[in-house]
Amino acid sequence: MKSFSALAALSISTLSFLPSVLAHGRLRSVTIDGKVFEGPQISNSGSIQSVIRTINDVSPVLDVTSDNMSCGQGAAKLTAPLSADAKPGSKIDFSWASGEVTVPWPHNVGPMMTYIAECGGDCADFNSLDAKWVKIDEAGRKDNQPEGDWIQATTIHVNKSYSMNLPSDLAAGNYLMRHEIIALHNAQSEGLAEFYPSCVQLTVSGASSKAAFPSDGVSFPGAYSATDPGILINVFNPTTEAYQFPGPPVELTSSGSSDDTGSDNTG
C-alpha cells in the first residue's frame, strides 16, 4: 500500500499537470463537405486511422525555427495513413479542443491561418519539411477592425468549429493542408507566442480552371520571424491599427471564408 505522503505527492503532481494539458490543445477533427474525420490520438496511441497527421504533444511550438513549425509537435517527418477526398471549393470545418478533447479550445486571442502545399505524389510519402506552402485563408479580428473580437474567441473558444472553403480554382491533385492557430496572450515577450500547426492530407478531384500551382511558396520553418509585428505584439494594448498577419499574403482565394464563420460542435 502506498503511504499517505506518496499518494499526496501523486495527487499534487496530477493536479499540476491538468491545467497545463487543458491550457493547450490540438485539432480534434476536420469536416470536409459534411464528412467528419477524427484526429488521431496523441503519439498515435489509439486505433483511429486518420487524415490528420499525428502530434506527440499538445503543447505549443514556441521556436519559429523549429521543425515542429511544419505540422506540430513531433510531426515534422510523420505522415497520416489516409487522405480525405475533396474538390475545388469544398467546405472545411476545423474543430479544435484542449488537451482533454471534451473541453473547448482554451485561448481566445490570436489569428488562424491555412496553407496548402502540393505533395507531388501520395501525401503518405511526403515530408512536410520539403513543402512549399501557399496561404489560402487568414482570419484575425472581426472585420479586420483594430478592436474587433478575435476569431478564436467567437468560434473554437466557445466550442464552434472554424469554417472556410478550399480555393474554387484549385487544380486536382494531392495536397497537404496546414491549419494553424497562433495564441497571442503572452506574445508581448519575444519567444512566447504560441503556435499550434496541424496538417491534413487531401486528394482533390474535379474540374478546375487553374492549371498551375503557385511556385513561390514558403517553408516552415522559415516563413516567420520571432519579431514579426503579428508575432511579437501586446494584444491587450489599445490600438488603432489593424492586425498584421505573419507570413505571405493569401495567394489562392479561399472562397466563402470570413472571420466570424463557424458552426456548433457536437462532440
Side-chain angles (χ1 to χ4, degrees):
M1 175 179 288
K2 292 183 178 179
S3 67
F4 174 79
S5 59
L7 289 173
L10 178 62
S11 298
I12 292 171
S13 176
T14 301
L15 288 173
S16 64
F17 171 73
L18 284 175
S20 177
V21 171
L22 295 178
H24 305 314
R26 66 183 179 94
L27 184 61
R28 173 171 48 193
S29 66
V30 61
T31 302
I32 302 175
D33 291 332
K35 184 174 182 179
V36 179
F37 298 90
E38 296 291 339
Q41 301 298 317
I42 303 302
S43 297
N44 205 23
S45 59
S47 59
I48 295 176
Q49 295 291 292
S50 184
V51 303
I52 302 173
R53 293 193 170 187
T54 303
I55 59 172
N56 62 15
D57 194 332
V58 297
S59 62
V61 181
L62 299 176
D63 180 1
V64 296
T65 68
S66 167
D67 286 354
N68 292 326
M69 284 292 291
S70 64
C71 287
Q73 293 285 11
K77 298 178 182 179
L78 298 178
T79 64
L82 305 175
S83 290
D85 290 332
K87 61 183 184 296
S90 282
K91 182 186 178 188
I92 313 290
D93 301 315
F94 298 99
S95 174
W96 288 80
S98 71
E100 170 52 57
V101 295
T102 60
V103 178
W105 180 253
H107 305 304
N108 60 5
V109 291
M112 304 172 74
M113 294 175 287
T114 307
Y115 297 77
I116 56 171
E118 290 182 303
C119 292
D122 189 341
C123 287
D125 300 321
F126 183 63
N127 186 334
S128 65
L129 294 178
D130 296 328
K132 293 300 181 183
W133 300 99
V134 172
K135 187 185 286 184
I136 62 171
D137 183 63
E138 59 186 19
R141 290 184 180 271
K142 184 176 176 62
D143 299 327
N144 206 31
Q145 293 299 307
E147 298 294 336
D149 291 334
W150 286 99
I151 184 63
Q152 292 181 50
T154 59
T155 57
I156 55 177
H157 184 65
V158 291
N159 207 33
K160 292 183 177 181
S161 60
Y162 173 70
S163 301
M164 46 82 68
N165 292 75
L166 289 180
S168 57
D169 58 355
L170 186 64
N174 295 316
Y175 294 93
L176 192 59
M177 178 170 61
R178 179 185 181 273
H179 183 61
E180 174 185 44
I181 292 172
I182 307 179
L184 296 176
H185 53 285
N186 291 323
Q188 63 271 21
S189 298
E190 184 175 337
L192 291 184
E194 298 184 358
F195 300 88
Y196 298 88
S198 188
C199 291
V200 180
Q201 296 176 181
L202 301 176
T203 296
V204 175
S205 59
S208 170
S209 60
K210 184 105 179 156
F213 191 75
S215 60
D216 56 348
V218 298
S219 298
F220 285 101
Y224 300 162
S225 166
T227 56
D228 284 344
I231 292 175
L232 181 59
I233 180 175
N234 189 334
V235 295
F236 303 108
N237 282 343
T239 182
T240 59
E241 297 182 358
Y243 175 72
Q244 296 184 49
F245 291 93
V250 173
E251 188 161 352
L252 293 175
T253 302
S254 170
S255 60
S257 66
S258 68
D259 64 357
D260 60 355
T261 188
S263 55
D264 290 327
N265 288 322
T266 57

